[in-house]
Amino acid sequence: SGDAAEEIAKRSRRTPRIVNRLLRRVADFATVADKKTIDLDTAKYALTQLDIDQLGLDEMDRRILSVIIDHYEGGPVGVKTIAISVGEEPDTIEDYYEPFLVQSGLLKRTPRGRVASRRAYEHLHMEERYSTLLARLKGEQNSLFDEEQ
């Protein structure tokens, strides 16, 4: 159906190659369920089983963001360090995962390294971690000014 096609397209990173791959995988789920067409429920079920979330992030995308947040306090952290932490090649991170994460507003590239955005914390349901980080940074900033006086 049109709704199913829209759902698959929405989760495909706006990339034709990924649309085609997801469509084939969702079609496999429909075949197993003995459905002649792919409806919205089948598409959502298949994409959930494939671990593709509402933004089109897969397990590795979420691991990259989680490593930056959990292990490096949101960044900045270098791409080589991220690659080692998630068990992926730095070139693959930079060429495949990072562009979509940056375009989606989940990751920022800075001269000092990669930084998880507020949107990343929200998407991963870590808003409390973001608030804690902001409070800690504000406290550090205030203590710097207190020492100067």
Side-chain angles (χ1 to χ4, degrees), residues 34-46:
D34 201 30
K35 295 191 177 199
K36 301 214 182 298
T37 61
I38 299 170
D39 60 17
L40 181 59
D41 289 338
T42 302
K44 284 183 174 182
Y45 174 77

Side-chain angles (χ1 to χ4, degrees), residues 2-113:
D3 291 339
E6 189 174 322
E7 186 70 21
I8 294 167
K10 186 173 73 174
R11 298 193 198 193
S12 70
R13 301 174 177 250
R14 299 175 290 258
T15 305
R17 171 179 48 82
I18 295 174
V19 169
N20 290 334
R21 179 178 60 85
L22 291 180
L23 182 58
R24 281 193 299 274
R25 298 295 306 273
V26 171
D28 290 343
F29 277 87
T31 300
V32 168
D34 201 30
K35 295 191 177 199
K36 301 214 182 298
T37 61
I38 299 170
D39 60 17
L40 181 59
D41 289 338
T42 302
K44 284 183 174 182
Y45 174 77
L47 293 166
T48 299
Q49 294 302 306
L50 294 169
D51 207 16
I52 308 294
D53 70 19
Q54 296 296 327
L55 292 180
L57 274 61
D58 63 16
E59 193 258 338
M60 181 59 79
D61 294 309
R62 290 187 298 277
R63 277 181 56 203
I64 290 167
L65 294 173
S66 293
V67 160
I68 294 169
I69 292 168
D70 290 334
H71 296 252
Y72 303 100
E73 298 180 331
V77 60
V79 72
K80 288 181 184 175
T81 304
I82 296 167
I84 291 167
S85 297
V86 299
E88 188 60 81
E89 292 295 319
D91 288 345
T92 303
I93 303 263
E94 285 184 309
D95 296 341
Y96 182 76
Y97 294 103
E98 193 175 72
F100 181 69
L101 294 173
V102 170
Q103 286 173 354
S104 300
L106 299 166
L107 186 70
K108 297 176 187 171
R109 291 180 67 166
T110 71
R112 294 182 55 214

